[in-house]
Amino acid sequence: MAEVRVELAGRSYDVRIGGGLIGNFAEECGGLLRKTRVPIVTDRNVYAHWGEALAQSLEAAGKHPAWLVHEPGEGAKSWDGLSRTVEWLLGEEVERGDHIVALGGGVIGDLTGFAASMLKRGCGFIQVPTSLLAQVDSSVGGKTAINVAAGKNLVGAFHQPSLVLADTDVLSTLPEREMRCGYAEVIKYGILGDAAFFEWCEANGSRVIAHDREAVEYAVTESVQAKARIVAEDERETSGARALLNLGHTFGHALEAETGYSDRLLHGEAVALGMVLAARYSARKGHLSAEDAERIAEAIGASRLPVEIASLGLHCTGQALAAHMLHDKKMDAGTLPFILLRGIGDAFLDREVSLEDVGAFLAQQLQSA
Ligand code: NAD
Ligand code: GLY
């Protein structure tokens, strides 16, 4: 098992990574579980696969789980999902000093964390991320949110968990497409800040996706270490350091908006293609060599993640795609900060990008096969 500490003044916490953590859940949580009854928020898929294992481990320690089971999917990250969660927690008489357990992917983690941030003006929560994406990204760093009519993740709070238990065994039941999506966020850490880890991904990405135990643990630990460093430096995304984690996300959001946030293109797939576009756009601007941009595309394509917009069969112009970016929540005083690359492992924030130029670039990409 590996342990990574997220260092934040007064709110530091551990991320434990390895197999068997759910089977040892009560011991891992120690004094965080003050009462006999333990409130757990999850979704139907995760409950079906892992609910019993978590319940058994709690019962063995003399505790009893209380379950709130949402329907799987982004729909739970909504005003309805939030009010259902908060009302249920109130019914469970959760107090400010208690901890709520979020057992699930990024949807359940974001929703439960947001509910915890407001319940009794803020109570504790424990992240038990069950998707690869949640283990390497969303469970660490304290961003919580729901989606509203105006867009994704537009209403939320920074609220750090007290503990993250990333049990890598639970990934055994994760659908392969979701595993690939999570892998996009893994390789992202290499591309944005760690050339040696990128090389490791080039050589070992297929082992991660195939659930090789050692490779998965290494990938999750490296990713969490990278995220913990960035979050410790810039918890609230004010200095620019945390913004680097948005590599690929601005292009990706435009593609998600154009495909209607649907199964046509999942978030991790949009980020994967978005990173390739960010690399190629960096090359167009003369920041990155064309060879490095194509090396990134090859590494991502080798994991059977999308690398060409043309493959999506979109019927829109480059300017229309760029126009989606105007609604990006990172818009700041009329400009949109882009994360670009000077090299593999060397991302930077560029506030001088013209959306018209991005539109022209996307028009070219839409045409090239
Ligand atoms: P998700 O939570 O919808 O999970 C994906 C699917 O996998 C769901 O159908 C879920 O039921 C299923 N699943 C999860 N774990 C499983 C398991 N072990 N076995 C079988 N099925 C399992 O999606 P996600 O990709 O985990 O997270 C995406 C969400 O995370 C988005 O809402 C995104 O906005 C958010 N996010 C947040 C942050 C952050 O910093 N807070 C960062 C990145 C993404
Ligand atoms: N996923 C981006 C962040 O946590 O900042």
Side-chain angles (χ1 to χ4, degrees), residues 21 43 56 58-59 77 83 85 90 110 123 139 167 225 227 229 265 288 292 295 303 307 313 326:
L21 290 169
D43 77 21
Q56 274 182 14
L58 281 171
E59 303 280 359
K77 254 179 76 172
S83 73
T85 307
L90 289 170
D110 279 12
C123 65
S139 65
D167 185 335
Q225 271 168 353
K227 182 143 188 190
R229 264 195 309 272
L265 189 70
L288 181 74
D292 276 351
R295 188 173 161 198
S303 320
V307 293
L326 289 170

Side-chain angles (χ1 to χ4, degrees), residues 197-364:
F197 184 54
F198 175 80
E199 273 178 36
W200 183 89
C201 288
E202 285 183 306
N204 296 285
S206 55
R207 288 175 63 211
V208 176
I209 291 164
H211 297 279
D212 176 291
R213 200 183 173 116
E214 189 195 358
V216 169
E217 272 194 42
Y218 183 78
V220 175
T221 305
E222 284 290 307
S223 301
V224 169
Q225 271 168 353
K227 182 143 188 190
R229 264 195 309 272
I230 291 173
V231 168
E233 184 181 338
D234 181 20
E235 181 184 7
R236 299 235 161 187
E237 204 166 312
T238 46
S239 77
R242 187 161 182 169
L244 299 185
L245 294 173
N246 295 325
L247 174 65
H249 284 60
T250 303
F251 285 105
H253 281 153
L255 297 168
E256 284 182 282
E258 186 61 32
T259 47
Y261 292 96
S262 67
D263 285 358
R264 262 178 86 188
L265 189 70
L266 299 181
H267 176 71
E269 293 165 344
V271 169
L273 182 43
M275 288 191 290
V276 174
L277 293 172
R280 289 182 179 152
Y281 187 69
S282 302
R284 172 186 168 101
K285 300 288 286 177
H287 301 304
L288 181 74
S289 72
E291 293 74 34
D292 276 351
E294 289 321 301
R295 188 173 161 198
I296 289 169
E298 251 175 57
I300 291 175
S303 320
R304 292 209 281 119
L305 285 159
V307 293
E308 301 293 345
I309 317 189
S311 70
L312 302 181
L314 300 179
H315 299 289
C316 66
T317 63
Q319 294 301 340
L321 263 186
H324 288 300
M325 297 175 180
L326 289 170
H327 305 293
D328 197 295
K329 66 178 174 307
K330 295 179 287 298
M331 278 296 278
D332 181 21
T335 64
L336 183 57
F338 271 77
I339 309 305
L340 299 181
L341 294 166
R342 287 195 199 93
I344 292 175
D346 186 8
F348 71 102
L349 192 153
D350 188 343
R351 293 187 188 277
E352 307 294 320
V353 171
S354 127
L355 274 189
E356 207 180 322
D357 189 48
V358 170
F361 163 73
L362 288 171
Q364 264 179 2

Side-chain angles (χ1 to χ4, degrees), residues 43 45 74 77 105-107 110 130-131 137-138 143 153 170 173:
D43 77 21
N45 292 337
E74 286 286 326
K77 254 179 76 172
V107 164
D110 279 12
T130 62
S131 67
D137 188 2
S138 62
K143 280 189 181 176
N153 294 327
V170 302
T173 56

Side-chain angles (χ1 to χ4, degrees), residues 81-220:
L82 181 66
S83 73
R84 191 176 162 223
T85 307
V86 169
E87 295 292 348
W88 178 78
L89 291 167
L90 289 170
E92 286 295 321
E93 299 180 355
V94 172
E95 296 171 347
R96 200 186 272 174
D98 292 339
H99 281 82
I100 306 161
V101 178
L103 173 73
V107 164
I108 291 299
D110 279 12
L111 170 68
T112 310
F114 191 28
S117 78
M118 62 180 67
L119 194 84
K120 312 266 169 93
R121 298 208 175 91
C123 65
F125 81 116
I126 297 166
Q127 288 269 21
V128 187
T130 62
S131 67
L132 181 58
L133 180 142
Q135 295 194 349
V136 300
D137 188 2
S138 62
S139 65
V140 179
K143 280 189 181 176
T144 75
I146 58 167
N147 307 321
V148 295
K152 271 194 76 180
N153 294 327
L154 289 186
V155 176
F158 284 97
H159 188 57
Q160 300 290 346
S162 303
L163 176 67
V164 181
L165 296 176
D167 185 335
T168 45
D169 287 347
V170 302
L171 301 177
S172 62
T173 56
L174 190 69
E176 187 181 313
R177 191 175 175 195
E178 297 292 348
M179 199 72 187
R180 291 181 196 287
C181 284
Y183 179 71
E185 303 282 358
V186 169
I187 197 169
K188 181 185 81 175
Y189 293 108
I191 299 171
L192 74 86
D194 187 341
F197 184 54
F198 175 80
E199 273 178 36
W200 183 89
C201 288
E202 285 183 306
N204 296 285
S206 55
R207 288 175 63 211
V208 176
I209 291 164
H211 297 279
D212 176 291
R213 200 183 173 116
E214 189 195 358
V216 169
E217 272 194 42
Y218 183 78
V220 175

